[in-house]
Amino acid sequence: MNRPHRCLQFLLRSARVARFALRNPRISAQAVERQLQPQDRAAAFTQYRDGLPSIAPLSLRPDPALASRPRLNVLLPGMAMRSMSGGPNTAINLVYRLTQYGIPLRFVSTDIAADQDTSALRQHFSALTGMPPADCGEVEIVCGSNRGVALPVGTNDVFFASAWWNVQMIKYALPLMRQKRFFYIVQDYEPGLYAWSTEYALALETYGLDFDAVICGRLLAEYLTTHGVGRFADRGFLDQHTVTFEPAIDRGVFHPEERVETGRRRLLFYARPTSARRNMFELGLYALRTAVESGVFDGEAWEFLFMGEALPAVDLGRGMSIRSAPWADYPGYGAMLRGSDVALSLMLSPHTSYPPLEMAACGRLVVTNSFANKTADALRGYSPNIVPVPATLDGVVGGLAVAVRRTRAGERDLAPPALPATWSESFAEAVPWLAGRVRAAMEQVH
C-alpha cells in the first residue's frame, strides 16, 4: 500500500468516521455489509421498517380550549442546554424577539428530552437577545420527543422549523391545523449534509412546501435561487415570501488585540468529524499532515489545537501533533481565537459558517474553502483576513502556506468584517417582517 493510501486509512480511523477498521481505503459498501453481524443487520432493518429515517411524526392532540389563543410552535431538535449550538441559537435569537410583538411562543423539543428545569434555558434566551425573560405564559418549553405521549395543540396554532426533519414533522401535522402555511429559517443547504439518499430526498422536498422563509446569508439565498431549489426557482417567491439577514459578529467578543507572545505560534483547526461531514475533517487533517511534511511550519515552534469536538491527539509527523483545545465558554472562545495566529475552518456549503468570520474579526488569518457562488472574491469581501482556497488537498496546503507566510510578515487587517456588529442590527428587517407574517397567519384562521 503506498503512502497516500496509508495516510487516508489513518485519517479515517482517527476521525472515527468508519464503523469498522478499514483495511483498504477503497473498501466497498458491500464488503462493509458483509462484516455486519446478523443481529446488526436486523437492527438496521428495524430502524427503517416502520417509517422514514429521522422524521417520526409528532404525537399531537387537538385541544379546543387552546384554539382561542394561537401560538407559534417552534420545533427544535433539543430544548436542552447541551443542545445549544450555532444553528439553534440563531433560531432562538430570532423567534424569541417576537414576544415584543405579543406573539406567544411554544418551543417543542422533537428529538431529545427537554430540560425539566427550564430556568437555565430561559436565562440563555435572555442572554442571546439582551431581552428580559418573558412571562412563562408567553414562552412555553415542552417536550415532544416521547411519541407515546400526545402533545396538546390548538388548531389555530402556527408552526416554525429550523431543520429539514422538523419541517417533515410539520408536514404531517398540518392536516390537523387550519393554517397550512408554516415558517422556516434556512441556515444551510441541508440536502448537502447527506449522500444522494432518502435523507437527501426528504431534505430537498422541504424547499418545495408552502412556507415563508427567513434565510441566513445572501450567499445562501443566491445559491438557492441560482440552482432553482424547490420554490426558490420562482423569483417571485424570493421577493414575496422570504427575508434575508447577514449573521452578526459580536464585536465585544470577536475583536483584535495584541497577542501575548509565548515563544510559539498556534494554529486552530475547526474539527467536527462526528456531526458535520461537510466540514471535511479528513481533508483538513490530511492537509495539515502534508503541510508539516512539506516544511510549512519549519523555523518556529507551533502548537496545533482541535476546536469543535473533543478528539484524541493525532501525530502530524516531524515531532508535531495536534490535540483538543480545552473547553471554553463564549468569551473564552473569543479569547482563544485572539490568542492564536492561524485557523483552518472548512465548509463544503454555500454558507460561510461562523468560525472563519469570527477568526477574521479577531485580526487573525483563517484558511477556508470556496464553494459554488461562495467564491474567493465573495469570501475576501467579508474580510481580507480570510484566505480562500479550493476544496482540494493542494488548495488547502497552499492556503496554509500563505497564511503562515502572511502571519510571519505581520500582514493582517484590523478592520471589522463587513457584517452586522449585533444581532439586533442583523435582525432589524427580519424580526418585524416575521412578526407581521406570523400575526397575519394567526388572524387568517379566525
Side-chain angles (χ1 to χ4, degrees), residues 18 73 138 160:
N73 289 278
E138 294 295 314
F160 178 102

Side-chain angles (χ1 to χ4, degrees), residues 284-304:
L285 188 56
Y286 199 1
L288 276 177
R289 288 174 61 87
T290 304
V292 167
E293 292 173 358
S294 302
V296 168
F297 301 100
D298 286 359
E300 294 175 307
W302 280 83
E303 176 186 32
F304 300 88

Side-chain angles (χ1 to χ4, degrees), residues 10-11 14 281 285 289 306 311-317 320-323:
F10 166 80
L11 293 173
S14 65
F281 172 78
L285 188 56
R289 288 174 61 87
F306 291 126
L311 299 170
V314 175
D315 179 22
L316 297 176
M320 301 183 194
S321 63
I322 183 168
R323 59 182 176 83

Side-chain angles (χ1 to χ4, degrees), residues 66 69-72 96 99 102-107 118 122 133-142:
L66 299 176
R69 192 158 188 264
R71 297 163 298 181
L72 182 65
Y96 189 79
T99 58
I103 295 173
L105 305 177
R106 181 166 74 160
F107 290 98
T118 64
R122 295 179 186 279
D135 180 87
C136 290
E138 294 295 314
V139 179
E140 296 180 75
I141 300 172
V142 299

Side-chain angles (χ1 to χ4, degrees), residues 137-316:
E138 294 295 314
V139 179
E140 296 180 75
I141 300 172
V142 299
C143 186
S145 64
N146 183 354
R147 302 300 197 263
V149 178
L151 193 65
V153 64
T155 54
N156 292 330
D157 282 1
V158 180
F159 282 90
F160 178 102
S162 66
W164 73 264
W165 59 94
N166 289 152
V167 173
Q168 288 285 354
M169 294 175 192
I170 289 174
K171 184 183 81 168
Y172 290 106
L174 289 178
L176 298 174
M177 317 306 295
R178 291 195 176 98
Q179 177 54 259
K180 306 303 183 184
R181 175 171 290 172
F182 63 94
F183 297 88
Y184 193 176
I185 181 170
V186 182
Q187 300 188 68
D188 204 343
Y189 178 65
E190 290 191 311
L193 300 174
Y194 308 95
W196 285 357
S197 60
T198 299
E199 287 90 347
Y200 186 101
L202 294 175
L204 185 61
E205 179 195 9
T206 64
Y207 300 128
L209 301 177
D210 188 10
F211 61 86
D212 284 346
V214 182
I215 307 173
C216 180
R218 59 179 177 79
L219 290 178
L220 179 57
E222 183 182 88
Y223 180 87
L224 293 168
T225 53
T226 301
H227 288 77
V229 177
R231 301 192 69 197
F232 296 99
D234 176 8
R235 180 69 207 191
F237 174 76
L238 192 72
D239 294 337
Q240 298 171 30
H241 294 282
T242 69
V243 65
T244 300
F245 69 92
E246 290 293 322
I249 302 299
D250 186 345
R251 304 288 194 273
V253 176
F254 306 107
H255 56 83
E257 69 180 17
E258 286 300 318
R259 187 186 184 294
V260 176
E261 293 300 331
T262 62
R264 62 178 175 176
R265 297 194 181 275
R266 178 195 289 168
L267 180 142
L268 293 177
F269 175 27
Y270 183 59
R272 300 283 305 280
T274 62
S275 61
R277 298 294 299 279
R278 69 196 186 285
N279 291 116
M280 298 186 290
F281 172 78
E282 302 92 338
L283 178 62
L285 188 56
Y286 199 1
L288 276 177
R289 288 174 61 87
T290 304
V292 167
E293 292 173 358
S294 302
V296 168
F297 301 100
D298 286 359
E300 294 175 307
W302 280 83
E303 176 186 32
F304 300 88
L305 294 177
F306 291 126
M307 63 175 179
E309 291 185 19
L311 299 170
V314 175
D315 179 22
L316 297 176

Side-chain angles (χ1 to χ4, degrees), residues 359-373:
M359 187 72 174
C362 291
R364 304 299 191 252
L365 277 295
V366 56
V367 177
T368 192
N369 64 284
S370 56
F371 176 84
N373 63 308

Side-chain angles (χ1 to χ4, degrees), residues 219 247 345-347 349-357 368 374 379 382:
L219 290 178
S345 182
L346 305 176
M347 174 69 91
S349 164
H351 183 35
T352 60
S353 82
Y354 293 116
L357 305 176
T368 192
K374 187 176 72 177
L379 288 166
Y382 288 113

